Amino acid sequence: MDALDVSRWQFGITTVYHFILVPLTIGLAPLIAVMQTMWVVTGKDHWYRLTKFFGKLFLINFALGVATGIVQEFQFGMNWSEYSRFVGDVFGAPLALEGLVAFFLESTFLGLWIFGWGRLPKLVHLATIWLVAIGVNASAYFIITANSFMQHPVGAVYNPETGRAELTSIWTLLTNNTALAAFPHVVAGAFLTAGTFVAGVGGWWMVRSMRKAKEATEPEVAKKHEDTARTMFRPVTVLALWVMVASGIGLAITGDIQGKLMFEQQPMKMASAESLCHTETGADFSILTVGTQNNCESITQLIKIPGLTSFLADGTFDSTVEGVTEIQARYEEMYGPGNYKPNLFVTYWTFRAMIGWAAGSALLAVVGLWMTRGGRVPDKKWFGWLSILVIPTPFLGNSAGWVFTEMGRQPWVVAPNPTGVDMIRLTVDQGVSNHSPWTVWVSLITFTVVYGALAVVWFTLIRRYTIEGPLEHDAHPPGDDHDEPEEPGRPEQLSFAY
Amino acid sequence: MGLQEVWFILIAVLFIGYFVLEGFDFGVGMLMPVLGRRKDPEGDTRRRVVLNTIGPVWDGNEVWLITGGGALFAAFPEWYATLFSGFYLPLLIILVALIVRICAIEYRGKIDDDTWRRRCDWGIVFGSWVPAVLWGVAFANIVRGVDIDADKQVTSNLFDLLNPYALLGGLTTALVFALHGAVFLALKTADEVRTDAVELASRLALPAVPVAGAFVLWTQLAHGKGWTWILVAIAAAALLGVVAFTRAEREGWAFLLTSIAVIATVALLFVSLFPNVMPSTLDAAYNLTIENASSSPYTLKVMTWAAAFLTPVVLIYQGWTYWVFRQRISTKHIPPSIGLPLERR
């Protein structure tokens, strides 16, 4: 492999890794803020315990999210220096804004949240987690506007003297229609991920507590466990299930909007998502296709829904959708010889995987809401297992969606905007740094090994803390019997220390 | 003053902020095993005292680097591209160190097990020493210049980067950050840990002051401008002041002075660089300057507005965080470990 391939693998591996952790952070921060708000408003210690329980899981995840995110900030310059030169004028701005607006906010206030229990007044402490929740979502917005520029460049001109894209309107860049569709889609995906996580963990614990209550011989112990299931895990699970329903609907709507934009702005991505080899009127949506995907002539579509692709593209069943072959010919005419087709196999299947994995969350949402209807608290073992087993599915869906978005953009790193400035386009081979393959191999192997080891640690900790459940020492908030100290004086012990 | 000059100064300010704030974070991590020796019966509690002096703030401090990187990308994309592709392997090692440090700090207390904690301690020490040395090496090389060809590609290899001046730079940052961290610990701890930190700071000053003095002097003689002798004098005076105030146990003043020493040194490096951002040792015509490496005037203007509004806000809330957690910590304040055993009992 040459440096280009190794660099692409490296960016793919590090980004997918980062984005396993990111959606959970984006979605879980607001959910924890809601739990803590419930505690502050209702004064019920159950919500405090839940805040601490999910807060621990959140922090384990946040640490690795930060660690993997740092790499991304520098990888553009390290491996894609020619790309960085070409778009830095435009692309750097949202990155710097992300740091100034979002990263400072989330990291500073997360420190205050972790160490501020019992030291900050209750409402100020509550405000810190809300600021973290705002920070993580704001950071998503800025980085998605940066990415959307690569998908659909706007707000810039090409300067022939420097050979660079130059920013002309920050407002146009920040209101790119691609970004305005992608941001809610990503956030909805993140809320689905966090909702599924909380509902999964909560549902499992609900069943577990009910079973413990059944098995207990002493009535007091039985009552305690049932109380835990009924008053602590049931409300949080139901809350998360409704978050899943809402974010699922949001995902579908924003996904549809994105599809229609893609049809106009990145027709090649749309065509390859469908393995649509030739232009068709009233194009069908294929569910199952066999054959060598990357060879247009050898594929057979087995199951298809008539006209659905046309409908997805512009809302009518008989519109014309351009095929891969025709777009290739058109691009060769416009941009010179070259292969402008993405990997059709990957784009076809990741598109289906993205949608398909949502079935996991949908199943849990429907079954969970049914099992908890009218104040019921389920104690069926299978439901506990279903809750846990569904947790990975939104993570897989997120990854599939990003792989589709990014690999569908190939061979471009800045895809040409059909209604934009013609010269603002760059293929990946023009964007890569001038390194020898072994240099990039060293970093690829290093990151893969380090990330792999940390993934094991991360999973061990998440699993361990989930199984342990809410801890006894978090049963009651600090300073419960007496109010928060007015003047942050000198408590005998810190409420939290690393 | 043009916007390119403004952004050169802002980049310098971001990196000065990073080195002042992460400087003592690195120092704290570097000194953790020294102040909390394993044989000491209170060793682990002492290590936790040391670590918790930066507990609530280290993550926010590190964002100065991320934002510095983002600002470099936005304001001087050519500088960003040339620097990070040219210093590929040192940067890779720094990134690995930072990754390991973040996870080690956050995960250390999660499991109540000696082996677990020992491994995390290794991670913290590795993740603190390595960037402390390598940032010095990298910045010395930026000032000294590397082989940059007509296509703005750095052609120096790793061994070219390990020249005497750069190695002295790495030694300087390591020693100064260690001293900075020791003084910070003296300021933030109480009782025995404080006494030991004061003593450690006095001892660290012995190598740190002459080494840093030599590096600053070399920088001034080889790359400085006439008026930058003032920065040399400030750095030297601050370092000598640290020795005096540490002896007198006036930690607040000593910390202010190590901060000033870091500020003066980094400022000297940036001023020596100006108006270049990365000089080429091959041909002065290939130098990257604030003129040929910067973004367009519009981008600089937008970013200037953003920085003008947002930076004060960040400074206020970060300052407030330091105020909230201003009290000194001693072994008495450290609660027992609330980590879980690795496997369920």
Side-chain angles (χ1 to χ4, degrees):
Chain A
M1 290 205 282
D2 57 10
L4 173 63
D5 290 327
V6 190
S7 299
R8 284 184 61 197
W9 272 107
Q10 178 174 324
F11 204 92
I13 289 171
T14 51
T15 314
V16 167
Y17 195 99
H18 184 52
F19 207 73
I20 289 171
L21 310 158
V22 165
L24 189 56
T25 298
I26 293 177
L28 202 49
L31 277 173
I32 290 171
V34 168
M35 292 179 205
Q36 191 172 338
T37 308
M38 292 297 284
W39 170 58
V40 171
V41 172
T42 65
K44 286 182 181 155
D45 284 2
H46 296 313
W47 286 108
Y48 172 79
R49 289 190 88 175
L50 286 165
T51 308
K52 292 292 268 190
F53 173 48
F54 284 106
K56 284 201 174 77
L57 298 172
F58 173 75
L59 292 178
I60 292 166
N61 190 63
F62 190 89
L64 199 52
V66 168
T68 53
I70 289 187
V71 174
Q72 302 300 341
E73 188 84 16
F74 296 99
Q75 209 174 162
F76 301 110
M78 291 169 77
N79 284 1
W80 304 95
S81 54
E82 300 315 305
Y83 160 81
S84 302
R85 290 178 213 281
F86 182 68
V87 298
D89 201 288
V90 190
F91 192 82
L95 250 62
L97 287 172
E98 184 187 24
L100 275 171
V101 176
F103 290 158
F104 273 123
L105 195 70
E106 54 179 317
S107 59
T108 308
F109 284 97
L110 190 64
L112 280 157
W113 187 70
I114 301 172
F115 287 83
W117 288 103
R119 178 165 325 191
L120 293 168
K122 234 182 204 175
L123 285 175
V124 176
H125 188 257
L126 178 63
T128 62
I129 188 70
W130 276 108
L131 287 169
V132 172
I134 292 169
V136 293
N137 281 277
S139 117
Y141 168 71
F142 285 110
I143 198 64
I144 285 167
T145 56
N147 178 275
S148 295
F149 178 79
M150 301 161 73
Q151 313 276 354
H152 178 238
V154 293
V157 292
Y158 178 77
N159 182 341
E161 266 173 50
T162 55
R164 294 190 319 203
E166 286 182 1
L167 186 65
T168 52
S169 166
I170 185 82
W171 178 249
T172 312
L173 181 74
L174 294 179
T175 55
N176 188 346
N177 58 11
T178 311
L180 294 184
F183 172 63
H185 193 65
V186 168
V187 168
F191 275 79
L192 186 74
T193 308
T196 309
F197 183 79
V198 171
V201 171
W204 188 69
W205 264 102
M206 181 163 59
V207 170
R208 199 172 155 172
S209 303
M210 285 306 273
R211 298 187 74 83
K212 275 188 185 170
K214 266 190 180 174
E215 286 156 15
T217 43
E218 292 169 51
E220 283 157 40
V221 179
K223 186 175 177 321
K224 197 186 122 215
H225 285 304
E226 198 184 326
D227 203 41
T228 307
R230 195 174 292 281
T231 55
M232 181 152 82
F233 284 115
R234 189 183 172 280
V236 80
T237 306
V238 172
L239 170 76
L241 288 167
W242 283 111
V243 168
M244 289 163 70
V245 172
S247 52
I249 294 169
L251 268 178
I253 295 171
T254 53
D256 182 57
I257 296 171
Q258 270 190 306
K260 290 184 167 48
L261 282 178
M262 199 204 304
F263 168 71
E264 284 171 33
Q265 299 170 352
Q266 292 175 285
M268 187 61 111
K269 194 192 278 185
M270 186 75 181
S272 64
E274 295 309 325
S275 281
L276 186 71
C277 280
H278 297 286
T279 302
E280 279 180 38
T281 301
D284 303 335
F285 182 94
S286 82
I287 294 177
L288 182 63
T289 296
V290 292
T292 315
Q293 219 93 21
N294 279 322
N295 176 358
C296 252
E297 307 311 320
S298 81
I299 53 171
T300 318
Q301 299 194 338
L302 292 183
I303 310 172
K304 48 191 179 180
I305 305 173
L308 184 60
T309 293
S310 286
F311 183 73
L312 290 178
D314 70 347
T316 57
F317 285 95
D318 53 0
S319 56
T320 305
V321 181
E322 218 179 354
V324 171
T325 318
E326 284 76 12
I327 303 173
Q328 168 69 24
R330 189 157 62 82
Y331 278 8
E332 275 182 48
E333 210 171 284
M334 289 167 74
Y335 310 123
N339 180 5
Y340 297 100
K341 286 178 279 196
N343 184 318
L344 298 181
F345 178 83
V346 174
T347 43
Y348 180 86
W349 286 109
T350 49
F351 188 63
R352 274 138 198 84
M354 170 183 75
I355 298 167
W357 283 118
S361 298
L363 178 71
L364 181 61
V366 170
V367 174
L369 286 172
W370 175 255
M371 299 291 281
T372 54
R373 71 191 186 283
R376 286 176 177 78
V377 188
D379 61 356
K380 298 275 180 290
K381 219 171 191 173
W382 64 263
F383 180 69
W385 281 110
L386 174 74
S387 303
I388 285 290
L389 287 176
V390 160
I391 290 177
T393 58
F395 292 87
L396 293 165
N398 291 327
S399 298
W402 270 113
V403 171
F404 167 65
T405 303
E406 297 301 287
M407 286 190 68
R409 171 173 49 78
Q410 299 297 330
W412 302 104
V413 64
V414 181
N417 178 351
T419 57
V421 180
D422 176 50
M423 283 305 288
I424 300 185
R425 55 185 154 86
L426 197 75
T427 54
V428 285
D429 56 325
Q430 295 167 325
V432 73
S433 292
N434 179 26
H435 291 307
S436 66
W438 71 263
T439 308
V440 195
W441 267 115
V442 168
S443 59
L444 171 63
I445 293 169
T446 308
F447 284 132
T448 310
V449 169
V450 172
Y451 282 9
L454 289 174
V456 174
V457 175
W458 170 83
F459 183 75
T460 309
L461 286 173
I462 294 270
R463 179 180 165 275
R464 190 68 192 79
Y465 271 84
T466 305
I467 292 178
E468 195 67 24
L471 300 169
E472 205 46 51
H473 63 76
D474 287 332
H476 304 288
D480 198 25
D481 27 342
H482 52 91
D483 277 326
E484 312 296 327
E486 288 278 307
E487 186 66 23
R490 197 181 280 232
E492 201 39 46
Q493 284 189 335
L494 302 171
S495 58
F496 177 85
Y498 279 132
Chain B
M1 192 164 57
L3 284 177
Q4 287 159 330
E5 282 84 1
V6 170
W7 272 92
F8 184 82
I9 293 169
L10 279 172
I11 298 289
V13 167
L14 283 166
F15 276 96
I16 287 172
Y18 176 63
F19 286 128
V20 169
L21 295 172
E22 278 272 270
F24 63 75
D25 291 347
F26 291 144
V28 164
M30 291 154 86
L31 300 177
M32 196 173 78
V34 184
L35 285 174
R37 273 181 236 279
R38 228 152 253 296
K39 284 175 191 154
D40 188 326
E42 279 209 315
D44 185 59
T45 316
R46 291 178 58 131
R47 283 193 291 280
R48 292 180 67 197
V49 170
V50 170
L51 187 58
N52 280 288
T53 57
I54 56 168
V57 293
W58 67 272
D59 195 6
N61 294 345
E62 193 171 69
V63 174
W64 285 81
L65 171 67
I66 314 299
T67 307
L72 204 59
F73 200 170
F76 297 102
E78 301 277 357
W79 188 3
Y80 171 86
T82 307
L83 174 63
F84 291 141
S85 63
F87 289 15
Y88 195 87
L89 288 178
L91 196 67
L92 171 69
I93 301 168
I94 289 176
L95 288 175
V96 169
L98 293 180
I99 292 170
V100 169
R101 190 182 67 127
I102 292 168
C103 292
I105 292 177
E106 287 286 350
Y107 294 166
R108 187 183 191 277
K110 294 279 177 245
I111 297 292
D112 189 8
D113 176 80
D114 278 334
T115 314
W116 178 274
R117 278 188 286 261
R118 190 152 52 238
R119 287 187 185 151
C120 286
D121 288 350
W122 273 109
I124 293 170
V125 170
F126 168 80
S128 302
W129 273 96
V130 166
V133 175
L134 287 184
W135 281 125
V137 173
F139 270 80
N141 271 309
I142 295 174
V143 173
R144 176 182 176 270
V146 287
D147 297 354
I148 299 174
D149 65 18
D151 298 325
K152 295 175 179 167
Q153 305 292 333
V154 175
T155 53
S156 305
N157 62 35
L158 186 60
F159 296 101
D160 298 334
L161 298 181
L162 300 176
N163 54 72
Y165 173 68
L167 291 174
L168 183 64
L171 192 59
T172 301
T173 45
L175 286 169
V176 170
F177 290 163
L179 177 64
H180 194 34
V183 173
F184 177 78
L185 283 167
L187 178 66
K188 289 287 292 175
T189 56
D191 307 337
E192 311 87 34
V193 183
R194 179 186 173 198
T195 321
D196 289 3
V198 169
E199 198 197 323
L200 188 60
S202 315
R203 272 200 230 157
L204 272 169
L206 289 178
V209 173
V211 168
F215 176 68
V216 170
L217 200 62
W218 189 340
T219 307
Q220 172 65 24
L221 292 174
H223 312 283
K225 304 186 164 48
W227 66 270
T228 49
W229 278 108
I230 300 169
L231 293 171
V232 177
I234 292 173
L239 283 168
L240 291 171
V242 173
V243 180
F245 280 114
T246 308
R247 293 245 166 96
E249 300 200 14
R250 302 290 299 272
E251 295 94 357
W253 285 101
F255 180 69
L256 182 69
L257 288 175
T258 49
S259 305
I260 289 174
V262 174
I263 294 168
T265 308
V266 183
L268 175 67
L269 292 173
F270 272 90
V271 175
S272 306
L273 201 54
F274 187 85
N276 293 319
V277 293
M278 279 189 87
S280 169
T281 41
L282 295 178
D283 186 336
Y286 303 155
N287 286 356
L288 289 186
T289 67
I290 61 164
E291 298 286 335
N292 69 15
S294 80
S295 289
S296 63
Y298 176 78
T299 301
L300 293 178
K301 200 172 89 185
V302 168
M303 293 312 300
T304 307
W305 281 108
F309 278 103
L310 294 166
T311 318
V313 179
V314 170
L315 286 173
I316 288 168
Y317 64 64
Q318 278 210 332
W320 178 65
T321 309
Y322 278 90
W323 175 252
V324 168
F325 299 107
R326 67 189 176 281
Q327 117 256 34
R328 289 175 181 266
I329 316 175
S330 76
T331 45
K332 284 202 298 286
H333 294 99
I334 298 297
S337 170
I338 51 167
L340 301 175
L342 195 55
E343 285 304 322
R344 208 173 153 81
R345 280 161 304 192

